[in-house]
Amino acid sequence: AELGIGSRFGWTVAVESDRIVVGAWSHTSTAPAGGAVFCYTLRDRLWVKEQVLAPEGLATEDDFGSGIALAGDDLIIGAQGDDTTARN
């Protein structure tokens, strides 16, 4: 999941101990501007990318990752543009 221009990577960030989660809510992953969340862990003083979250079924401009909260083992991700009852 390469970041493109305009992905808005880093506009939302949550940090908990040795973990950081970064939103890229305009990233084109499974849909144009559907969004994605990048998860990193601190190892030997380096941030290592563990995974990229981009659920299947995202629609254009769902903005997945537009809100992030991290507490302990719980991660909550917002998608402010999700409109499951209408089309974009």
Side-chain angles (χ1 to χ4, degrees), residues 33-62:
V37 172
F38 293 75
C39 303
Y40 299 87
T41 301
L42 186 61
R43 290 195 185 144
D44 298 322
R45 297 184 299 193
L46 296 173
W47 289 105
V48 177
K49 182 169 49 175
E50 295 291 331
Q51 63 182 344
V52 178
L53 305 174
E56 291 184 29
L58 287 174
T60 300
E61 297 179 2
D62 272 352

Side-chain angles (χ1 to χ4, degrees), residues 67-78:
I68 297 174
L70 178 62
D73 291 333
D74 298 322
L75 172 62
I76 299 172
I77 302 170

Side-chain angles (χ1 to χ4, degrees), residues 2-84:
E2 295 296 320
L3 291 167
I5 295 173
S7 66
R8 294 186 172 71
F9 179 84
W11 285 38
T12 54
V13 176
V15 180
E16 173 84 14
S17 184
D18 63 348
R19 294 179 297 147
I20 187 169
V21 181
V22 182
W25 55 269
S26 195
H27 176 62
T28 297
S29 51
T30 59
V37 172
F38 293 75
C39 303
Y40 299 87
T41 301
L42 186 61
R43 290 195 185 144
D44 298 322
R45 297 184 299 193
L46 296 173
W47 289 105
V48 177
K49 182 169 49 175
E50 295 291 331
Q51 63 182 344
V52 178
L53 305 174
E56 291 184 29
L58 287 174
T60 300
E61 297 179 2
D62 272 352
D63 301 336
F64 181 79
S66 57
I68 297 174
L70 178 62
D73 291 333
D74 298 322
L75 172 62
I76 299 172
I77 302 170
Q80 70 181 2
D82 181 26
D83 50 4
T84 56

